Amino acid sequence: MTKPKIKPLTRNSLRGVWSALIVPWTARDTFNARAFAKEIQAHQGLGLSGLYTGGTTGEFYAQDDETFAQITKVACQECHAIGLPVQIGVSALSTLTVIKRIKVANKFGADALQVALPFWLELKDDEVKRFVHEIAAAAGKTPIILYLTGRSKRKIGPALFGQLAKEVPTFIGTKDTGLDVKGLKALLRKAPDIAIFGGEDFYDKLPAGGKGGYCSVTGFNAAKVVELHDLCAAGKLKEAKPLSDAIHRFLYEALVPMVSKQGLWDSAIDRIQRVAGGGKVGLRCQSPYRSGSEQDLKRVIAWCRKNTPELLPPHLH
């Protein structure tokens, strides 16, 4: 059987709903390759534009070189087998380590690379430029998506953003879930062709020029997130508003309080909602970080059933 052809990602074609891949761990905190392959296969036919590894959801910070290579190999093979492009997260503390991860990602056929700025020491503007130019040279033709997160201790302002867009042709897009509409427009004035992504906030971001989202709620119910995106992309904002409000409530009333009140990190919360959504990834986060509990899982499902039943995945009806 011929594998589906994956179209190259460009500044123009990068768009839509991308879902974060959660890595299943064994009881000894080792990579469960079989469970990961099945998890990727479960994303087939959901209307997603692609999948991505790394980031907080994928616990990139907890992976040694061997584990990173194993995850990357399975991700590329299984995503391509179901016809979806995959972005491989290659973030690390140094340019040298990022470049090593880029080589692994290219070896296994990554469609793009997603990378945050090195985050132990805050980079100055010249250091940001050096970093982006050096990783772009190592990546060759593979496109780069900059993960602009506050966890890197700084963001890239519009002027520098525009310079990078002009100087690095393979820099095609960004992931910035904390960017507001005003900030999005400021970046687009300097780099109008860069594909800027947020999270599930399509209702506000797409009309302002955003191209899509890297979404955690897809783990709970991908079909609803895709439905919201498609309505907003078509300009059907009136029809999209109730669904947008429901997803916003789910995020900020059911999930975010587990950060502010219980002290869980995003990685634990994303596991809770993915397991609630039917994923077989387990609740276990890598040590030393806290994992969610079965009680957390039950509370999220109960909250959704009571407050936003329209978001319940089919298996919970």
Side-chain angles (χ1 to χ4, degrees), residues 13-92:
S13 67
L14 179 60
R15 59 188 64 241
V17 180
W18 289 68
S19 188
L21 288 171
I22 296 173
V23 179
W25 305 115
T26 69
R28 295 185 177 182
D29 282 344
T30 57
F31 174 50
N32 188 332
R34 180 174 297 180
F36 190 52
K38 290 182 178 179
E39 170 66 4
I40 293 171
Q41 293 159 13
H43 288 79
Q44 186 172 18
L46 300 179
L48 296 167
S49 296
L51 302 172
Y52 66 100
T53 67
T56 307
T57 302
E59 297 179 277
F60 78 92
Y61 46 81
Q63 299 170 23
D64 59 18
D65 291 343
E66 181 181 359
T67 303
F68 172 81
Q70 292 171 341
I71 291 169
T72 299
K73 179 180 180 180
V74 175
C76 291
Q77 289 178 345
E78 297 299 331
C79 286
H80 291 165
I82 63 173
L84 287 177
V86 60
Q87 297 177 23
I88 297 298
V90 294
S91 298

Side-chain angles (χ1 to χ4, degrees), residues 14 87 114-115 144-148 156 161 171-177 179 184 187 194-198 211-214:
L14 179 60
Q87 297 177 23
Q114 191 180 115
V115 59
I144 292 169
I145 288 85
L146 292 180
Y147 179 14
L148 304 182
I156 297 175
F161 190 87
F171 163 37
I172 67 169
T174 65
K175 173 189 176 184
D176 190 344
T177 56
L179 185 69
L184 185 151
L187 294 181
I194 293 290
I196 299 178
F197 278 56
K211 293 295 190 253
Y214 295 99

